[in-house]
Amino acid sequence: MMEIPTKYDPLTTEDRWYAVWMQNKQFKSTPDKRESYTIVIPPPNVTGVLHMGHMLNNTIQDVLIRRARMQGKNTCWVPGTDHASIATEAKVVTKLKGMGINKADLTREEFLKHAWEWKEKHGGIILEQLKKLGASCDWDRTSFTMDPKLSESVVTVFVDLYKKGSIYRGVRMVNWDPQAKTAVSDEEVIYREVNSKLYYVNYHVVGEHGKFVTIATTRPETILGDTAVCVNPDDPRYAHLEGKKVIVPLVNREVPIIRDAYVDMEFGTGCLKITPAHDINDYEIGNRFNLQVIDIFNDNGTLNENAGVFVGEDRFKARDLIVEKLKQDGFLVKAEDYTNKVGYSERTDAVIEPKLSMQWFLKMKEISKPALDSVMNDEVKLHPAKFKNVYRHWMENVKDWCISRQLWWGQRIPAWYLPASNEFVVAANENEALKLAQEKTGNAQLKLSDLRQDEDVVDTWFSSWLWPITVFDGINNPDNPDFKYYYPTCDLVSGHDILFFWIARMIIAGYEFQGKKPFSNVYLTGMVRDKQGRKMSKQLGNSPDPVELMKLYGADGVRVGMLLCSPAGGDLLFDECLTEQGRNFSNKIWNAFRLVKGWQSDEKASQPESAKVAIVWFESKLNHAIIELEDGYDKFRISETLMIVYKLFWDDFSSSYLEAVKPAYQHPIDAKTLAATVAYFEKLLQLLHPFTPFITEEIWHYLIDKSEAESIINTSMPRAGKVNAVLIEEFEFVKEVIAAIRTIRAEKNIPMKEAMDLLYRNSKKSYDSYFNPLVMKLANLSTIIQVSDSVSGAITFIVNTVEFSVPISGAINIEEEILKINEELRYAQGFLMSVMKKLSNESFVSNAPPTVIEKEQQKKADAESKIKTLEAQLIALKG
C-alpha cells in the first residue's frame, strides 16, 4: 500500500482516475438481461464550450447515471453534439471573412467543406471538457445530429410527414433574422423591453383640403409599405371617415380607411397604420380586407426598390432619415419616449423582422395531442410539476412549426422542383425524386439534371426532436437490438428554457413515430445566475470559466458547489464560495479518512461501552439517511439529497461518530470498532460517489486495498436496514447536553483533561441513561447522577425540560455571574431578532440558495437554545 498523502490533490487524482475508468471501459453499455437505465444528453451546440448551465445539467445527469449503475442497472448515457445550423454557419462565415472569403462567392459544396473542417477542429472541445467534470458517458456511442444515420432519419421523417399531409409549403408571416438571413421559430425570439420613440404622423384625407388623421407608430420606416389605415368601428371620433381614403406620406399612395375591432381605441390616437408585409397582426387584417402587400425590406434588413429614395439603406438608419424627412415635409406631429417590447434572435441577437416568406411548415395541432395527454396524465412526469400548466398552455395554443431555414449547414429539404415550374416532389433521395417527377410530368425522358433541389435546410430542432430515437437508429432500423433495449429512455435532464424548443417536440415525435413516450421523467433545471440574480453572460463578464473553476476547486468541489444551490426548476444563484465549500467538503472527507487509516488495531482489546453505543446509534442514523436519500432521488430533489449525505458525513459521522469511537492519543483501537468504522466509511463513500466520484474512488482503493481494475463504480448502493427513530431523536438530545457542558468548560476555562460531575433533574422529559458512556467520554465526566432538587452554586442548563447542573469547584461571585449572563442574554436576544428579521423577509427567503436559508435557520435554533440555557442559569443562580 502506497503512503497516504497528507493533503488531497484533486488535479492529479481526477485525471488519473478518469483515464483508468476509460481504459477499463467502466462506462460502456451493451444490452443484456439487466434492467436498462438510459439517459440521452441534451446535445450541446458543436460551436460551444462548457458554460455553467452545462456544468449543472451534466452534473445532475452524472449523479443519476452513477446511482443507477450502483443499483445494478445497465446504464447507458449517450453523449453527443448538435450541429446548430444558425450558430455554426455564422461562425464559419466569420472565419471565412477573416480569410478574405465571402460566402456568396462559394458554391454550397465549397462552403460545406469549410464547415466540416471547422466542426472537426472545434466540435469535440465541449465533450472533452465534460470528461474533466467526471461525466460517465458511453463515449463509444457519441452522436452528432448530422451523422449519416441521423441525417437519413431526418429525411425519412420529413418524407413520411409530407405524405401524411402534415408538412406543407406556403407563404406565411415568419420571424426573420436579417443577420443570419433565415427564418427562425417563435421560440427562438427573445423579447426585451427597450426605450423607443412613439412617432405621431399626419395622413391627409383624400378630397378634404386641410383634413388629416394622425397615426402613432414606433416604426416610421414601415410607412413606405402601408396599404391602409384602420380604426375601431365603435370609435365615434372616426365615424365620419367611413369609405374615405388617406394619402401615405412620402410615397403619396392612396389607401383606404378600414374598420376593424382589433384596433385599441386607447393606444396612441386610436388610428392604426396597416403594413401587411411587416407585422403579423397587420397581415391578418390585410387578409380580412384583401389589402395589397408591399414588402420594403431585403433579406439583410436593408430597404429594397419599393422604398424609393431610401433604397439600400439599413432599416435603422432609414428610420432616422425618414423621421427627418417627415419633419421637413410637415407630416411629423411629435415624438415621445415610449417603452415597448422588441424581438431579438436568440442565435445572433439581431432585431427580428416580421416578414412574409415562402417556407415549409409542419402542422402541429393534431400530432401534439398525444404528447399533451401524456404529460397531463403523468405518463411523462415533469419535475417540478408546476411546469405542467406552462406545458399545457403552449401545447393547447401550438402554432404550425416553420421548419425551413435559409442556410447551407444542416439537412437539406428533400424536395425537388420540376423544370420551369414551382411544382415539386418530395422524396428520400435523388433516384426516388426522379422517378416521382417522371410520373408527375408523364415524361419518362426527364433527367436528374432537369430537377432542382430546394436550397433550404430543416430547422436544427427538426433534427434534435428525434434525438432519443435516432441515437439508437430507431427510425430507419427500429428492430435493432439497441433500440429495442434502450428505448424508451428513462430520465431527461434539461433546462426549462427549452421545454418547447426541444422537450415537448421530442415527446410529440416519440408518440408520432414510435407510438410511445421517449422518456418517463423530465428534470427541469433553472438558469444559472450570479449572486445578484443576473443572467450569466460574456457581455456582463459575470460567468466564471468552468474549467478554471475545476482547476481551482477540483471537479468534485465544483459539482458539490453547483448542486448545493440548485433547486429543481428554480434559478441557481451561483457564488464561487459554494465551490469553495465543495472543496472544503472534499478536504473533510480526506481528513476523516486519514484519521481512520491512522488508527492501529488491537485484536485483544475489549470494545468500550461508548463505542458500542455509538455504533448502534450510527447504524440507525445511516439507515434513516438511506431512506431519505431514496425518497429524495425518487422525487428528483437532487440538491436536498446531496445535503442529506453531506450532513450525514460531516455532522453525524465526522463530528459525532468518529469522535465517539476515537481511541485515546497513541492508544490502539479495538478490532471490532475499527471493522465497524471501516464498513460505515465504505457505505458513506458509496452514498457520496454519485456526487463526488473522484475522491470516493481514490479513498475506496486506499480503504479497501483494491486493484485499479476494480472500482467503487461497480459496487452496490447500500440498502437501508432497521431504523430506531427514538434512538436517533434521543441522540440529538444528548448532543445538546454535550455541547452545553463544553460551553461551560470554555467559559470557565476548565480543561477537557479535568473530569467533571453532571447532575440532572427530570421534568416532563426523562433522561435516558443509555447514552451515558458516550456522554461521559465526549464531555469527560466522572459521574452522571440524578437528583430530586435544583443544585445551588452550580452552573445549570436545561435541555428539553431536563435540568442539568455542573458543580464548579471554588467560590463563584454570584452577582458578577448574573451580570455576565445578563449581558450574554441581551446579545443572544438581539442576534435572534436580526436572524428572524432576515427569515421574515420574503425577498431574501425566495432568492437565497437553500444552503444559505439552512444556515440562517440553524443560527435561529442555536440562538434559541443559547437563550434557554442562559435563562436556566439565571434561575439557578438566583434560586
Side-chain angles (χ1 to χ4, degrees):
M1 170 63 70
M2 295 190 312
E3 185 180 346
I4 300 170
T6 304
K7 290 185 177 180
Y8 175 63
D9 179 9
L11 293 183
T12 56
T13 302
E14 290 169 359
D15 286 344
R16 177 166 53 82
W17 278 118
Y18 203 89
V20 170
W21 292 336
M22 292 289 285
Q23 182 182 344
N24 293 328
K25 295 191 177 295
Q26 295 289 2
F27 314 143
K28 179 71 178 169
S29 176
T30 54
D32 58 27
K33 293 182 180 180
R34 289 176 293 165
E35 177 187 351
S36 67
Y37 178 81
T38 313
I39 292 179
V40 292
I41 201 171
N45 287 354
V46 74
T47 59
V49 293
L50 205 61
H51 61 60
M52 299 305 288
H54 292 134
M55 293 284 284
L56 172 63
N57 185 286
N58 287 282
T59 295
I60 292 169
Q61 290 176 80
D62 197 46
V63 167
L64 295 175
I65 211 85
R66 285 180 182 274
R67 179 228 182 190
R69 192 180 284 122
M70 294 175 74
Q71 288 179 308
K73 297 176 184 177
N74 186 348
T75 58
C76 180
W77 183 10
V78 182
T81 50
D82 186 280
H83 62 276
S85 293
I86 298 175
T88 303
E89 187 147 327
K91 293 269 188 184
V92 176
V93 167
T94 301
K95 176 207 166 195
L96 291 173
K97 279 183 181 176
M99 298 166 61
I101 301 171
N102 192 323
K103 177 191 170 186
D105 296 332
L106 298 178
T107 65
R108 188 185 195 106
E109 289 68 29
E110 288 170 339
F111 177 82
L112 288 177
K113 183 181 177 184
H114 284 286
W116 278 107
E117 286 175 357
W118 193 94
K119 181 264 176 187
E120 292 306 315
K121 183 176 180 181
H122 299 279
I125 292 174
I126 196 165
L127 299 182
E128 290 304 311
Q129 291 175 328
L130 285 175
K131 292 176 183 178
K132 291 283 186 185
L133 183 66
S136 56
C137 302
D138 184 346
W139 297 105
D140 292 341
R141 294 182 178 274
T142 302
S143 293
F144 176 52
T145 49
M146 279 179 62
D147 284 342
K149 285 183 179 180
L150 278 73
S151 289
E152 185 184 339
S153 300
V154 170
V155 171
T156 299
V157 162
F158 188 103
V159 174
D160 174 65
L161 289 170
Y162 178 78
K163 287 179 179 178
K164 290 176 181 175
S166 296
I167 287 179
Y168 64 93
R169 183 172 182 261
V171 176
R172 297 286 185 275
M173 182 71 71
V174 298
N175 300 299
W176 188 262
D177 182 334
Q179 184 172 322
K181 288 188 274 192
T182 181
V184 296
S185 67
D186 291 346
E187 291 76 28
E188 290 169 299
V189 179
I190 299 169
Y191 288 92
R192 301 178 194 146
E193 282 197 349
V194 298
N195 296 322
S196 302
K197 294 282 186 182
L198 190 59
Y199 300 92
Y200 291 79
V201 183
N202 281 343
Y203 287 45
H204 287 291
V205 179
V206 174
E208 295 190 17
H209 182 70
K211 300 290 185 182
F212 52 83
V213 295
T214 305
I215 62 93
T217 180
T218 58
R219 304 192 65 204
E221 66 274 18
T222 62
I223 285 174
L224 307 177
D226 285 356
T227 56
V229 166
C230 190
V231 298
N232 192 298
D234 296 327
D235 195 332
R237 294 174 293 177
Y238 303 112
H240 65 287
L241 294 175
E242 186 172 359
K244 295 187 180 294
K245 293 184 176 182
V246 294
I247 299 172
V248 179
L250 305 184
V251 292
N252 295 320
R253 182 187 304 125
E254 289 190 10
V255 300
I257 295 175
I258 59 177
R259 308 200 309 163
D260 193 281
Y262 167 77
V263 178
D264 180 0
M265 291 186 286
E266 302 300 320
F267 174 76
T269 63
C271 198
L272 186 70
K273 63 188 281 301
I274 304 298
T275 318
H278 300 295
D279 183 276
I280 183 62
N281 298 305
D282 290 9
Y283 174 66
E284 291 173 0
I285 291 173
N287 282 341
R288 290 198 286 274
F289 288 88
N290 198 26
L291 297 176
Q292 182 185 5
V293 177
I294 302 174
D295 188 344
I296 65 166
F297 290 122
N298 294 311
D299 288 351
N300 64 356
T302 59
L303 274 64
N304 64 21
E305 63 277 4
N306 292 324
V309 297
F310 303 103
V311 64
E313 296 288 358
D314 176 78
R315 54 188 168 153
F316 297 117
K317 184 179 178 184
R319 177 180 298 177
D320 295 336
L321 293 173
I322 287 169
V323 167
E324 187 59 34
K325 182 65 174 168
L326 288 169
K327 190 185 298 182
Q328 289 175 6
D329 293 355
F331 293 110
L332 185 66
V333 178
K334 63 177 179 176
E336 59 187 25
D337 292 336
Y338 182 70
T339 302
N340 64 328
K341 286 190 175 180
V342 175
Y344 289 79
S345 169
E346 186 193 43
R347 300 302 178 197
T348 65
D349 206 38
V351 174
I352 288 294
E353 193 63 57
K355 180 178 173 65
L356 282 175
S357 181
M358 177 69 78
Q359 301 286 345
W360 293 87
F361 295 87
L362 173 60
K363 297 175 184 176
M364 294 292 286
K365 197 168 186 65
E366 287 303 313
I367 67 171
S368 297
K369 287 179 179 177
L372 172 59
D373 293 341
S374 71
V375 171
M376 290 303 102
N377 64 26
D378 286 337
E379 185 175 18
V380 175
K381 291 183 179 178
L382 303 185
H383 305 272
K386 68 179 182 181
F387 285 104
K388 284 176 69 173
N389 286 333
V390 182
Y391 180 89
R392 180 178 61 195
H393 176 77
W394 187 80
M395 293 290 276
E396 288 177 345
N397 296 280
V398 69
K399 296 177 183 177
D400 288 357
W401 178 7
C402 177
I403 57 172
S404 48
R405 298 291 182 266
Q406 289 63 58
L407 302 164
W408 283 348
W409 177 245
Q411 289 94 2
R412 197 167 176 179
I413 299 278
W416 283 260
Y417 295 92
L418 304 180
S421 168
N422 282 326
E423 291 189 84
F424 57 84
V425 294
V426 172
N429 53 56
E430 292 177 339
N431 293 332
E432 279 186 33
L434 179 59
K435 183 180 176 182
L436 288 172
Q438 289 171 340
E439 292 172 358
K440 191 165 188 172
T441 60
N443 180 4
Q445 303 307 312
L446 201 66
K447 301 187 295 296
L448 189 60
S449 58
D450 297 324
L451 305 180
R452 174 179 57 87
Q453 188 175 356
D454 197 302
E455 291 291 325
D456 292 352
V457 297
V458 295
D459 178 14
T460 305
W461 299 106
F462 192 82
S463 166
S464 60
W465 78 321
L466 305 173
W467 185 249
I469 304 172
T470 53
V471 293
F472 299 113
D473 199 20
I475 295 292
N476 290 312
N477 188 14
D479 292 325
N480 78 78
D482 278 6
F483 185 65
K484 291 171 76 172
Y485 182 73
Y486 294 114
Y487 188 90
T489 65
C490 298
D491 300 329
L492 179 79
V493 181
S494 183
H496 66 71
D497 55 323
I498 55 172
L499 180 57
F500 312 122
F501 276 134
W502 188 50
I503 298 167
R505 288 171 178 165
M506 280 192 292
I507 300 172
I508 292 168
Y511 287 102
E512 177 68 16
F513 305 117
Q514 299 302 322
K516 52 190 172 185
K517 62 187 178 182
F519 30 70
S520 298
N521 295 286
V522 180
Y523 179 98
L524 295 159
T525 64
M527 185 176 291
V528 181
R529 299 182 179 275
D530 65 16
K531 56 187 176 183
Q532 297 176 43
R534 301 175 302 173
K535 181 180 177 181
M536 287 188 168
S537 68
K538 290 180 182 177
Q539 289 82 357
L540 287 175
N542 62 344
S543 181
D545 181 342
V547 175
E548 291 303 314
L549 280 179
M550 288 189 283
K551 286 180 182 176
L552 193 58
Y553 300 107
D556 286 336
V558 174
R559 287 165 67 113
V560 168
M562 293 286 290
L563 291 177
L564 283 174
C565 57
S566 59
D571 286 351
L572 182 156
L573 297 178
F574 180 77
D575 189 333
E576 198 166 319
C577 70
L578 292 165
T579 50
E580 187 176 1
Q581 184 179 344
R583 181 186 62 187
N584 293 344
F585 184 50
S586 291
N587 291 337
K588 183 74 172 180
I589 298 169
W590 186 257
N591 290 335
F593 156 66
R594 288 186 66 249
L595 174 68
V596 172
K597 203 65 180 172
W599 291 342
Q600 297 297 317
S601 174
D602 183 350
E603 296 288 338
K604 297 178 181 179
S606 59
Q607 188 179 39
E609 286 300 313
S610 55
K612 289 180 184 178
V613 171
I615 289 168
V616 172
W617 160 73
F618 191 75
E619 179 75 22
S620 207
K621 185 68 180 179
L622 177 65
N623 290 334
H624 181 258
I626 292 171
I627 293 169
E628 286 187 313
L629 283 167
E630 292 301 310
D631 183 61
Y633 275 121
D634 291 345
K635 292 174 179 173
F636 288 86
R637 292 176 176 167
I638 307 301
S639 181
E640 294 174 32
T641 303
L642 168 60
M643 186 53 70
I644 290 166
V645 69
Y646 180 99
K647 291 171 73 174
L648 176 69
F649 190 94
W650 193 299
D651 296 339
D652 300 310
F653 183 69
S654 294
S655 299
S656 296
Y657 174 81
L658 290 183
E659 195 175 357
V661 301
K662 182 171 64 176
Y665 181 63
Q666 291 188 336
H667 284 69
I669 189 171
D670 68 280
K672 201 170 182 181
T673 300
L674 182 60
T677 302
V678 170
Y680 287 149
F681 212 127
E682 182 179 15
K683 287 184 178 181
L684 287 166
L685 292 175
Q686 290 165 329
L687 295 175
L688 283 164
H689 178 73
F691 301 102
T692 55
F694 293 108
I695 191 170
T696 49
E697 182 77 276
E698 176 83 346
I699 292 176
W700 186 78
H701 279 80
Y702 277 120
L703 191 72
I704 312 300
D705 195 15
K706 297 286 186 179
S707 70
E708 279 196 347
E710 299 173 278
S711 173
I712 192 172
I713 288 172
N714 300 316
T715 62
S716 296
M717 190 61 76
R719 295 185 178 181
K722 291 182 179 179
V723 175
N724 186 330
V726 174
L727 191 71
I728 293 172
E729 183 182 352
E730 196 66 29
F731 186 73
E732 294 304 309
F733 167 77
V734 164
K735 282 202 296 186
E736 286 191 53
V737 174
I738 295 167
I741 297 170
R742 288 178 172 178
T743 299
I744 291 170
R745 281 186 179 278
E747 290 175 349
K748 303 305 175 188
N749 295 319
I750 304 171
M752 272 297 293
K753 63 183 180 181
E754 186 178 318
M756 300 167 62
D757 295 326
L758 179 66
L759 314 176
Y760 71 91
R761 184 168 69 97
N762 290 331
S763 180
K764 294 178 183 177
K765 176 181 171 63
S766 297
Y767 175 75
D768 188 344
S769 60
Y770 175 78
F771 283 105
N772 273 4
L774 204 56
V775 178
M776 292 181 73
K777 176 182 179 180
L778 297 180
N780 191 16
L781 301 176
S782 304
T783 56
I784 300 176
I785 304 169
Q786 182 177 0
V787 295
S788 55
D789 296 311
S790 293
V791 180
S792 60
I795 301 295
T796 302
F797 61 92
I798 296 173
V799 178
N800 204 1
T801 76
V802 178
E803 181 182 282
F804 293 90
S805 299
V806 178
I808 303 296
S809 56
I812 295 176
N813 187 318
I814 301 295
E815 289 184 4
E816 283 184 10
E817 196 67 24
I818 289 174
L819 285 171
K820 181 182 174 184
I821 292 172
N822 272 323
E823 187 177 339
E824 287 183 43
L825 185 60
R826 281 193 297 273
Y827 175 82
Q829 288 168 336
F831 180 75
L832 178 61
M833 283 179 66
S834 69
V835 173
M836 293 297 292
K837 189 175 180 181
K838 256 189 187 180
L839 290 173
S840 62
N841 184 325
E842 190 175 334
S843 175
F844 170 78
V845 172
S846 58
N847 290 316
T851 50
V852 174
I853 300 293
E854 189 162 346
K855 282 180 182 177
E856 293 301 318
Q857 289 171 337
Q858 186 60 53
K859 287 179 186 177
K860 173 177 174 287
D862 291 345
E864 288 172 339
S865 176
K866 178 74 171 176
I867 289 168
K868 193 185 294 184
T869 300
L870 292 169
E871 288 174 340
Q873 288 179 10
L874 280 176
I875 292 169
L877 287 169
K878 292 175 181 178

